[in-house]
């Protein structure tokens, strides 16, 4: 069975590790190539865009892919839309392996917004000390609020940030633990946390640390997802693959080869 996993997330890496133990499944992991030094993976990996829906559809056909797993980040809206459309076009079974978004808990002071631009405005007029964790791409959205002190945490160096005159950089990759997040908030006298609602456990401790410190958190909510079946754990991905294996044509003739 040949499968393509669209990755770039902790979930995809976890799935890749499990797939490496299943030699009967010929799996390829696809990364966009945004991170300079992506984590090493135990299965075949390809890097770079496919060229839109048609490019992905052609890749699925050329590699005779039996099933597609969309394990991309909840905010990677374009590739998820492309995956749904290419799967439909080629008749490839697809499942989305996604993390449920975080839910507001008692004690949380969340300001929920729909975009990075809205997040920048939601910090307010008064200059604040902001822990900004929305990722390297999209920082330009905060140019409308240059009055704040930003502690910007990204995996790779974000390049020239001259439009945010008062900032400090923290280059780090999750998972982050609660003790370290508490210490960071205290040491840098953070007053507001800005985050995407990315779900999952790897970056959740900042939400808990902010709650404990009574800080407001500007939370950018995820975009709508295409209508594709969703699963939330590796076991459910394998259950989906078994269903596909049970239905797929078995001989080369049946596959039209
Ligand atoms: P996006 O806006 O949804 O996708 C833009 C284009 O990048 C896609 O049309 C596709 O190019 C290419 N692409 C995206 N993911 C790909 C993948 N896994 N394999 C091959 N090509 C891919 O994506 P994004 O938000 O820039 O995210 C890029 C990658 O970073 C994804 O793999 C995602 O899982 C990961 N990531 C994103 C975020 C986030 O906050 N957005 C956070 C953590 C990790 P073509 O049209 O040419 O195929």
């Amino acid at each position: 069975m040949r499968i393509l996993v669209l990755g770039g997330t902790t979930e995809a890496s976890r799935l890749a590790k499990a797939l490496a133990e299943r030699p009967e499944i010929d799996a390829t992991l696809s990364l966009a190539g945004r991170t300079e030094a992506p984590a090493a993976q135990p299965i075949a990996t390809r890097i770079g865009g496919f060229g839109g829906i048609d490019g992905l559809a052609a890749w699925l056909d050329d590699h005779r892919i039996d099933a597609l797993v969309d394990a991309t980040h909840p905010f990677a809206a374009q590739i998820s839309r492309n995956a749904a459309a290419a799967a439909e076009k080629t008749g490839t079974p697809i499942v989305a392996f996604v993390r449920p978004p975080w839910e507001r808990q008692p004690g949380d002071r969340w300001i929920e917004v729909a975009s990075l631009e809205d997040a920048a405005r939601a910090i307010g007029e008064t200059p604040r000390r902001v822990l900004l964790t929305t990722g390297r791409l999209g920082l330009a959205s905060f140019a409308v609020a240059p009055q704040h002190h930003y502690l910007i945490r990204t995996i790779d160096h974000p390049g020239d940030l001259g439009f945010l005159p008062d900032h400090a950089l923290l280059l780090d990759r999750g998972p982050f633990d609660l003790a370290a997040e508490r210490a960071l908030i205290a040491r840098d006298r953070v007053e507001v946390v800005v985050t995407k609602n990315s779900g999952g456990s790897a970056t959740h401790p900042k939400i808990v640390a902010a709650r404990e410190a009574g800080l407001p958190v500007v939370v950018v909510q995820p975009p709508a997802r295409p209508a594709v079946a969703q699963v939330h754990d590796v076991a459910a991905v394998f259950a989906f693959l078994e269903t596909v294996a049970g239905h797929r044509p078995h001989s080369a003739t049946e596959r039209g080869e």
Side-chain angles (χ1 to χ4, degrees), residues 4-10 12 29-35 46-56 70-82 99 133-137 155 196 198:
L4 176 65
V5 178
L6 301 171
T9 55
T10 320
L29 176 70
S30 176
L31 302 174
R34 300 281 191 279
T35 308
R46 65 163 299 289
I47 296 183
F50 295 92
I53 297 167
D54 290 343
L56 178 54
D70 175 10
T72 57
H73 191 269
F75 280 80
Q78 185 64 53
I79 188 70
S80 289
R81 278 197 299 272
N82 291 0
R99 5 167 154 164
T133 65
T134 50
R136 175 171 62 95
L137 305 171
I155 297 175
K196 290 176 176 170
S198 299

Side-chain angles (χ1 to χ4, degrees), residues 9 36 44 76 78 99 107 182 201-202 216 227 231 241 246:
T9 55
E36 279 165 26
Q78 185 64 53
R99 5 167 154 164
R182 280 184 190 128
S201 57
V231 296
L241 295 177

